[in-house]
Amino acid sequence: MTDIARFYRQPSPTSDLGRHRDRVPGLPADPEALSAIVRGLLIHNHTATVQGLRFSAERMSHMETVGAEAILDNVIGIDPAPLDRERPAERRMFGFCYHFALLHCALLRATGTPARIRCGFGGYFVARRWIDHWVVEYWDGSGWVLTDPQTGRGNLTGDDFQDGVTAWHLCRGGASQPAAYGNGELWGWDELRGSLINDVAALDKVEVAGWYWCDRLQVEPLDQPHAELDKSLDGLAEPVGEPGNRLDRYPEFRPPAGAVAR
């Protein structure tokens, strides 16, 4: 486990805090305390809608931000207070679950805790539905602990969250129904495929949300099985040796450098 822990303790290009590294000293190392700090910096787009908050087009464009350094550029650009200072809701960065997870992961790595983000499906938003979602997994010295920095839920179980790899295997094996996986108007195999490639990429520390850029996934109908594509994805879903090399076997599923979060 030492090599794996070392791998996930080091920042990736997307989780590197860059010019904001000097803001880390003084922050708590406790994972759940860092999770609370993240919730004081960001506001989820759905939460903003429910609260009736209105943001400018520029602020709403922060939804497409990729990378922890860029997330903190937005946060500090809105309010330059120290990171552990909770912002009023209207002065937080407008984003979605990916941004909460990536920033939390970045802060964990920066304070010495091995961590990775996982793309998959939450089971606690809508009854009998699995909603696409990003969470964080951190190493506590004896095992991986799943936590949701967006909602503040900790110690998630398999009843709470299924990562993209797990959901793929369950649906391909017939243990789960693909139609129960999705978000809004998008349900079924397209959501499962997209979450799988996002999850595998994140395991390789290529942390980008969305799969609109992936031409291989553009098949019709999107929500139905596709024999050739799904067989390739079966291979992608299989574990291979040490982390960091899954995408080497399937470069067509690697997010491009210019991908944005969508």
Side-chain angles (χ1 to χ4, degrees), residues 11-19 21 67-70 106:
S12 61
T14 35
S15 69
D16 194 326
L17 296 177
R19 67 182 66 88
R21 291 191 200 100
E69 182 178 28

Side-chain angles (χ1 to χ4, degrees), residues 197 211-219 222 229 252-253 256:
I197 65 172
W211 57 91
Y212 72 96
W213 50 266
C214 188
D215 292 339
R216 282 292 309 279
L217 298 193
Q218 307 308 312
V219 295
L222 285 171
L229 172 59
E252 66 270 31
F253 297 128

Side-chain angles (χ1 to χ4, degrees), residues 38-49 51 53 55 59 63 88-97 99-100 150:
V38 169
R39 288 191 295 282
L41 301 175
L42 310 177
I43 186 166
H44 192 276
N45 62 305
H46 178 70
T47 302
T49 299
Q51 294 184 0
L53 298 176
F55 292 92
R59 292 279 301 279
M63 284 272 289
E90 67 275 8
R91 293 184 62 77
R92 299 176 190 175
M93 179 188 135
F94 187 82
F96 65 106
C97 52
H99 297 107
F100 286 80
Q150 177 195 320

Side-chain angles (χ1 to χ4, degrees), residues 120-173:
F121 301 89
Y124 41 80
F125 295 107
V126 179
R128 296 181 295 280
R129 291 288 185 270
W130 290 97
I131 306 301
D132 64 358
H133 195 46
W134 288 87
V135 299
V136 170
E137 219 171 23
Y138 64 86
W139 183 255
D140 70 353
S142 60
W144 290 105
V145 179
L146 274 172
T147 188
D148 182 352
Q150 177 195 320
T151 66
R153 288 173 175 261
N155 294 308
L156 303 180
T157 69
D159 292 329
D160 301 317
F161 181 80
Q162 293 177 12
D163 59 67
V165 173
T166 297
W168 180 260
H169 284 308
L170 287 172
C171 289
R172 286 288 278 169

Side-chain angles (χ1 to χ4, degrees), residues 168-243:
W168 180 260
H169 284 308
L170 287 172
C171 289
R172 286 288 278 169
S176 292
Q177 296 300 312
Y181 294 77
N183 193 9
E185 297 180 359
L186 300 175
W187 298 88
W189 286 105
D190 184 48
E191 284 280 332
L192 288 160
R193 294 177 189 121
S195 291
L196 172 63
I197 65 172
N198 281 342
D199 193 38
V200 170
L203 288 172
D204 274 8
K205 299 202 307 191
V206 182
E207 300 124 340
V208 176
W211 57 91
Y212 72 96
W213 50 266
C214 188
D215 292 339
R216 282 292 309 279
L217 298 193
Q218 307 308 312
V219 295
E220 294 292 344
L222 285 171
D223 63 346
Q224 296 299 312
H226 187 281
E228 180 184 2
L229 172 59
D230 294 343
K231 184 176 180 180
S232 293
L233 290 168
D234 285 340
L236 184 69
E238 292 302 320
V240 288
E242 297 301 315

Side-chain angles (χ1 to χ4, degrees), residues 28-106:
D30 176 70
E32 298 308 327
L34 289 174
S35 173
I37 286 174
V38 169
R39 288 191 295 282
L41 301 175
L42 310 177
I43 186 166
H44 192 276
N45 62 305
H46 178 70
T47 302
T49 299
V50 169
Q51 294 184 0
L53 298 176
R54 301 178 67 87
F55 292 92
S56 67
E58 179 184 3
R59 292 279 301 279
M60 292 177 67
S61 73
H62 291 169
M63 284 272 289
E64 297 190 350
T65 302
V66 170
E69 182 178 28
I71 290 172
L72 288 183
D73 283 343
N74 296 335
V75 167
I76 301 304
I78 298 166
D79 189 327
L83 296 184
D84 58 359
R85 185 86 53 83
E86 182 178 354
R87 275 70 165 161
E90 67 275 8
R91 293 184 62 77
R92 299 176 190 175
M93 179 188 135
F94 187 82
F96 65 106
C97 52
Y98 161 79
H99 297 107
F100 286 80
L102 182 59
L103 183 56
H104 187 211
C105 177

